[in-house]
Amino acid sequence: VYVPSKKTVYKYLRDAEIVKSRDNGMTSKQIGELFNLNRRRVDQILKKKREEAKNKDKRDSSIEIILLINEDE
């Protein structure tokens, strides 16, 4: 059984808050000040989270297609 470290959990929660802050209109600089990160690091995290979301959407679409095919059989 995988149990993530406290550091891993913290980063996961922090990154989720960074995305939420950006969605609420904060700038990268403001977010960086809030989380004690520089603007570039905030932008890196946002880019990574966008790519993860895009890949998740692709996986979800593939799963839906498979489920639809199986329903027809």
Side-chain angles (χ1 to χ4, degrees):
V1 172
Y2 171 72
V3 178
S5 68
K6 288 180 182 179
K7 184 177 180 180
T8 301
V9 172
Y10 169 78
K11 284 185 176 185
Y12 177 82
L13 295 173
R14 179 202 65 191
D15 292 355
E17 285 298 315
I18 287 172
V19 171
K20 190 187 307 184
S21 297
R22 181 57 149 199
D23 290 344
N24 289 330
M26 291 180 72
T27 66
S28 295
K29 184 178 179 186
Q30 291 169 327
I31 296 168
E33 290 170 357
L34 183 63
F35 291 96
N36 198 28
L37 301 168
N38 66 41
R39 179 192 58 79
R40 287 185 183 189
R41 181 64 186 133
V42 171
D43 290 338
Q44 288 174 342
I45 292 167
L46 290 168
K47 180 180 177 185
K48 177 180 146 194
K49 291 297 174 183
R50 278 192 301 266
E51 289 171 359
E52 287 175 1
K54 189 168 124 180
N55 290 335
K56 181 183 181 304
D57 288 344
K58 286 180 183 177
R59 279 195 312 272
D60 290 348
S61 297
S62 298
I63 291 169
E64 288 175 19
I65 290 169
I66 291 169
L67 291 174
L68 290 172
I69 290 171
N70 288 337
E71 284 179 0
D72 290 339
E73 294 177 353

